[in-house]
Amino acid sequence: MRVTGLVICALLALLDLVGSLPMGDVQPPVGVIVVGLVLGLITLAALVPAWRGNRRALQVVVGSRVLSALLGIGAYFDDAAPTWARIGVTVAMLLTAIAVVLVLPALRPSPQLAE
């Protein structure tokens, strides 16, 4: 389950990077683009150690994905945001929630063996 969640996180991070490229007439604010780009890079940087089971890296991946999902909320309140952007934000939020649920069991502390 952890691997599937990390794959979803990787795809979402790549979407953050692609989303920072200029596309069409309607663009999100520059701050949103920059923060999304940084969060995508953070996720990608933490993926390799997270894949190997590093709990701190898993926390970074989950945190950066949650922050990225929250960054999209502004699309719902922006009248200039096209419908496809709102749909994309909704899908990304749902995928983020699924990925977090899949990764969370790996973040729980393992029971210590009693001697």
Side-chain angles (χ1 to χ4, degrees):
M1 287 193 320
R2 175 180 58 90
V3 172
T4 304
L6 288 175
V7 168
I8 294 170
C9 288
L11 293 174
L12 289 169
L14 291 173
L15 283 175
D16 278 353
L17 299 182
V18 171
S20 67
L21 300 173
M23 294 183 294
D25 297 334
V26 179
Q27 291 290 320
V30 174
V32 172
I33 293 172
V34 170
V35 173
L37 177 66
V38 169
L39 289 172
L41 290 173
I42 288 170
T43 300
L44 291 176
L47 272 173
V48 172
W51 194 277
R52 295 179 181 157
N54 183 308
R55 289 184 68 226
R56 182 69 65 194
L58 283 169
Q59 292 170 345
V60 170
V61 168
V62 168
S64 63
R65 291 296 84 218
V66 168
L67 288 174
S68 179
L70 292 175
L71 192 62
I73 290 176
Y76 297 114
F77 301 103
D78 185 0
D79 293 335
T83 303
W84 63 265
R86 290 186 182 111
I87 292 170
V89 166
T90 303
V91 170
M93 286 180 173
L94 289 173
L95 287 174
T96 298
I98 291 168
V100 167
V101 166
L102 292 174
V103 172
L104 275 180
L107 290 174
R108 293 194 181 111
S110 59
Q112 300 295 325
L113 296 176
E115 293 186 61

